[in-house]
Amino acid sequence: SYSVFAYSDPVVRMLLQAWKYHGDVSAWEHIQHLFTRGDVAIPEVFQDVDFVSFVPLSKQKYAERGFNQAEDIAKYIAAQIKKEVIPTLQRRHVRKAQAEKEKQARIDVVDIQPFFVSSPVIIEAKTIFLVDDVWTTGSTAEACANMLKDNGALRVIVFALAHGSAS
């Protein structure tokens, strides 16, 4: 997995939260500026992917926010590496958001697989660049990557804009 920012950085955390929870587009624009200001290099391995995908939101969360931050990040990265964005996963059911759980509860996620592949033929033998906004324990990204691989993906490279917890 790859990430470019530490979520413990108060500026990064504030910008991500303003964008994700309050729809502050200027915060997203500032994040893009930080990402492209020259000291964040896109690893060469990103060029070896077939396409870019993203961690889906539930229909309820999407309706509340009006956007999926992981999808927006995926579109931004895809433009940088000149790859197509293809939605590959859907969320099966609504769970309490990872950010609202205690750390151990995030690690102990063992309920029904929350994601499913919308069209397995699209991912067959492909290397997929999977994008999420924040990597805390890795349980969400792991569930998504495993679902993609279990349905025929050759390889899944996970990218999160930020990693770690707020503390």
Side-chain angles (χ1 to χ4, degrees):
S1 68
Y2 299 87
S3 66
V4 292
F5 301 116
Y7 195 63
S8 60
D9 178 320
V11 173
V12 170
R13 186 174 57 254
M14 183 223 23
L15 289 170
L16 279 169
Q17 289 176 350
W19 174 45
K20 181 175 180 174
Y21 299 118
H22 305 291
D24 185 343
V25 176
S26 67
W28 169 227
E29 290 168 350
H30 194 74
I31 292 167
Q32 291 175 62
H33 174 73
L34 290 174
F35 191 84
T36 58
R37 68 180 178 194
D39 51 345
V40 177
I42 296 178
E44 200 169 301
V45 69
F46 294 7
Q47 301 295 335
D48 297 331
V49 302
D50 292 297
F51 60 87
V52 178
S53 194
F54 52 90
V55 173
L57 285 179
S58 68
K59 290 179 183 176
Q60 177 185 341
K61 287 279 186 202
Y62 192 88
E64 288 171 11
R65 293 184 187 156
F67 69 100
N68 177 348
Q69 67 284 353
E71 182 179 4
D72 288 351
I73 297 164
K75 289 176 180 176
Y76 180 77
I77 298 285
Q80 304 298 313
I81 63 173
K82 298 177 179 36
K83 299 290 180 177
E84 183 178 11
V85 175
I86 300 175
T88 55
L89 295 163
Q90 292 183 19
R91 196 171 282 265
R92 190 178 306 279
H93 58 79
V94 179
R95 289 196 325 213
K96 188 174 183 181
Q98 290 287 75
E100 297 172 12
K101 298 178 187 175
E102 294 297 320
K103 183 175 183 176
Q104 192 59 44
R106 293 192 306 262
I107 294 169
D108 291 341
V109 174
V110 291
D111 61 351
I112 297 170
Q113 173 56 260
F115 304 100
F116 66 94
V117 174
S118 45
S119 182
V121 71
I122 293 171
I123 66 170
E124 184 89 23
K126 301 291 188 210
T127 297
I128 301 167
F129 185 79
L130 180 68
V131 176
D132 202 0
D133 60 341
V134 179
W135 170 292
T136 49
T137 65
S139 61
T140 300
E142 182 179 2
C144 289
N146 287 340
M147 182 55 61
L148 290 167
K149 288 188 267 185
D150 289 350
N151 281 273
L154 178 66
R155 184 173 176 214
V156 179
I157 298 169
V158 178
F159 173 85
L161 199 58
H163 66 277
S165 61
S167 54

